[in-house]
Structures are given as structure tokens and as C-alpha cells.
Amino acid sequence: MADIPGGPVISEMAVASPYGLGEDAFADGLLAGTPALGPLDNGDWPVPHHEAGLIPGFDVVEALGPKGTRSMDRLTGITVATTGLLLERCGTLVADGPEETGLVLGTPGSVQSAMGFTHDALTGERPFHVNPARFPSTVMNHPAGRSAIWHGLKGPNVSVSGGTASGLHALNYGSRLLRGGHARVLLCGAAEEFSVQRARLEHVVHAGAGGPLGEGAALFLLESADSAERGGRTPRAELLGCRFRIFTRPEQAGKALATCLTDLLRNTGSDADEIGLITSTGAPGALGEQESTALDEVLGLAGADQRVRIRLHALLGGTGTASTALQLAGLLALAARTPTGARRLALVTTVDREGTVACALFRPATADKKGFE
């Protein structure tokens, strides 16, 4: 993306995580450093893992009510509920301009719904003996579309899928929509569900090396600083820039991320010493080690570095498509509570097994210095 002086800002956010619904539960869990992974009942979840990071007590019908949720899958329910949490914080935002309010969601769609529908088609007496009400859930853009209909959003509605970097892709796409004048405000973020089919698929594809899985969603209100001021909203962070890169062999991941980071710092006119908050994927194995090495080399993190670092994988499990959105939510939640001194910038990075790396730089409003300098 082309970097924008005084570019888009994040003025609100909402989180659904294995710590619970809402930002406070999320921030409390991160500050305590308590893993949110819990044991699984194999009767309810016949999966190849013994624990997972589930949103506590989440049930679609209980969260949203019985009307219109009979055939709603878990991913869509999480997305609709998180969208509602964000809009609750925004007052009359949608009522004031539904056509100017859009949604950009990072999601691969529901693996459980797609594979369940296929299973019914293959095992039924006839291939067409399936429940047609469940077909919409098999489509990638269903969670975003259903959320827009549920909450009355009539602006652009976009679904993007980019692995663990999907949350950053959504913010990048949203900033382009704003620059092009296609919306005034956008809800941007990513969501992921825990399901039997997703757990089994991950176990087979990664030969059981990925560790426990988690779920969750994080959505951010992205708009211009002028729009936030007119709406009486205080910006929580400014998006300075995003960078994405691919690698073709696993051993190239660290170099690809180092190049991404170097380009991001240069093109945003930032210095490594300005970064006070860092969150990485922190996944186990060689790719996670390469991510840490690239950060150490580019940012000079060796030794007794005092910067705040967050690694969510060990706390939440592998949250898949929602990873970078939850990482950013963690940065903003901690920035609101943690003095950072002179180091004002925040960095999100990820390395995905599918061959992509990404990073994004933000200027958050912090606990010790409200606003931006």
C-alpha cells in the first residue's frame, strides 16, 4: 500500500477471544500472562487435540437469540456477535450513515460448514438430498454478508483470505477503500472458529506439529482522523503502513520477513528504536524461530531489551485467520494500560506456513501520552 501522511486511524475495537467477550477480559488475560487453553471434552469435540482456546461458553443461539440463527454456523455467529460488540461502542454510527459504513473481514470461510455439506452430498441417498438452508454457510463471504445484513451495514462488504496475515490484509484493503472514497468508516478485522473439521484438517496438513488451536475475532473501526473528530471518537492508533511478501522454501521465511520490516521502516520514515510494542506470531517450530531471529536482527532486540513483546500462540493456541487481528487487539489493549516512554510505535508481524510473511506499523495512543505526536 502507498503510505498516507496522517493516514487512517483506528478509533474503536471489539474482541472475542478465549479470555471471553470484550476488550477488558482480553487485556486482563494478556497482562496476567495466563494461557486461555482448556481441556476438551472428546464427546463434544472428537479432535486429535486434548486442549484448545475456545471462547468461553459461546453458543450462537444464546449469543444472538433464536431468530434467524437456526442454521447459522459458529464462524458466522462469532463474526456477527463481535460486529455487534463494536457497533455498541459506536453509538449511532450506522443509523447516521448506513450506506457509508462497510465491513472488510479476513476469513477463509467455515471449514466445518463446507466439509459437512460435502459429506451430506456424498453420503445421502441422492447427492441433492442436502439441507439447502446450510449451503450459504459454505461460501467464504457468508460471515461478512450475514453480519452486514444483521446490523444494517450497507457500505462495501468484502472478504479476504490470506492465512494468518488476513487481519492485516483487511486493514490494508480497508485503507484503500477509504482513500478511494468508497466508504466513510469501515469495520475491518478477522475471525476464526474452532471446529472438528478444522482441527482434523490442520492435524493432517501439518502432521500434528501445529499444537493446540484457538478461535476468536477482532474488529476495528477504521476511518480518517477527520471522520473520527466529526463523530466525537478519539483515535486509538494510526495505521502507518503494511507490507507483505512471499517465500517459496521454509528456510527463506526469516529473510523475507527481514526484508518486509526493512522496507516498512524505510517507507514510513521510522526508526527501529521508536518501536516500543511488538507482537509476533510466536508459533512453535522453525518458522517461529526465524520470525524471532528476523526481529532481533532488524530491530536490535538482543540483550536486556525493555520493549513490550506479546506472543499470543502460547496463550490462545493457533488462531489461524484471526491471528494478526488478535495480535493488533493485544497491542491496542496494552497500549491503553502500559506507559511506553519515548518508544511510541507498535509492530505486528506474522509468518505463515503457506509461504507468506507480513508486518504492519502503528502509532498508538498510549497510557502515558494520549494522542499522537
Side-chain angles (χ1 to χ4, degrees):
M1 62 174 274
D3 299 300
I4 314 167
V9 299
I10 294 170
S11 50
E12 283 290 358
M13 76 171 183
V15 188
S17 77
Y19 289 120
L21 296 179
E23 179 182 337
D24 288 340
F26 189 53
D28 290 343
L30 292 184
L31 286 171
T34 306
L37 299 171
L40 288 172
D41 183 331
N42 287 116
D44 295 331
W45 302 99
V47 298
H49 298 105
H50 299 296
E51 59 179 2
L54 302 179
I55 299 172
F58 183 82
D59 178 85
V60 174
V61 175
E62 290 182 5
L64 302 173
K67 185 177 180 180
T69 58
R70 184 170 60 88
S71 61
M72 186 180 290
D73 62 88
R74 188 174 180 88
L75 176 62
T76 302
I78 291 171
T79 304
V80 172
T82 308
T83 302
L85 288 175
L86 180 55
L87 292 176
E88 285 177 8
R89 301 175 65 100
C90 298
T92 61
L93 175 73
V94 177
D96 291 343
E99 290 82 8
E100 298 176 308
T101 306
L103 173 63
V104 183
L105 182 71
T107 175
S110 172
V111 174
Q112 183 72 31
S113 295
M115 295 185 74
F117 194 84
T118 302
H119 176 271
D120 291 346
L122 294 175
T123 58
E125 186 175 342
R126 294 286 188 273
F128 48 83
H129 287 177
V130 293
N131 183 353
R134 295 191 179 277
F135 177 73
S137 298
T138 68
V139 182
M140 171 182 155
N141 66 345
H142 179 69
R146 189 68 176 273
S147 295
I149 294 170
W150 191 280
H151 295 290
L153 310 179
K154 299 182 180 180
N157 191 266
V158 181
S159 297
V160 295
S161 181
T164 58
S166 293
L168 300 185
H169 281 294
L171 287 170
N172 187 39
Y173 198 110
S175 69
R176 293 167 62 187
L177 289 176
L178 290 177
R179 286 202 308 271
H182 300 291
R184 180 174 57 85
V185 290
L186 289 160
L187 284 66
C188 299
E192 184 66 271
E193 68 175 354
F194 180 84
S195 67
V196 171
Q197 297 297 348
R198 178 187 165 219
R200 290 176 174 176
L201 185 62
E202 291 271 356
H203 184 76
V204 171
V205 170
H206 303 303
L213 299 179
E215 66 178 1
L219 288 173
F220 310 93
L221 190 68
L222 190 71
E223 58 186 329
S224 69
D226 289 342
S227 172
E229 183 178 1
R230 289 194 300 270
R233 293 178 288 273
T234 302
R236 299 189 59 167
E238 179 185 0
L239 172 60
L240 300 181
C242 300
R243 290 295 179 272
F244 307 91
R245 201 171 183 88
I246 63 170
F247 58 92
T248 56
R249 296 192 302 273
E251 62 271 19
Q252 297 175 333
K255 182 178 179 181
L257 180 58
T259 301
C260 251
L261 289 168
T262 303
D263 288 347
L264 180 62
L265 291 172
R266 181 179 63 249
N267 292 323
T268 58
S270 306
D271 189 273
D273 288 337
E274 297 178 82
I275 298 173
L277 295 167
I278 303 165
T279 177
S280 56
T281 310
L287 291 182
E289 293 173 3
Q290 290 191 63
E291 184 179 21
S292 294
T293 299
L295 284 165
D296 292 345
E297 290 177 354
V298 177
L299 304 183
L301 300 181
D305 192 88
Q306 298 300 309
R307 285 177 261 203
V308 177
R309 299 188 68 175
I310 308 170
R311 297 177 179 88
L312 290 185
H313 193 285
L315 300 177
L316 309 180
T319 51
T321 304
S323 294
T324 48
L326 289 170
Q327 288 172 236
L328 174 57
L331 286 181
L332 297 186
L334 293 188
R337 300 187 181 196
T338 307
T340 60
R343 288 175 169 162
R344 299 299 314 285
L345 303 185
L347 177 69
V348 176
T349 70
T350 188
V351 176
D352 190 272
R353 287 188 178 90
E354 305 307 317
T356 61
V357 299
C359 55
L361 194 62
F362 302 85
R363 179 181 289 111
T366 56
D368 54 335
K369 296 179 181 179
K370 296 298 182 182
F372 309 125
E373 292 181 346

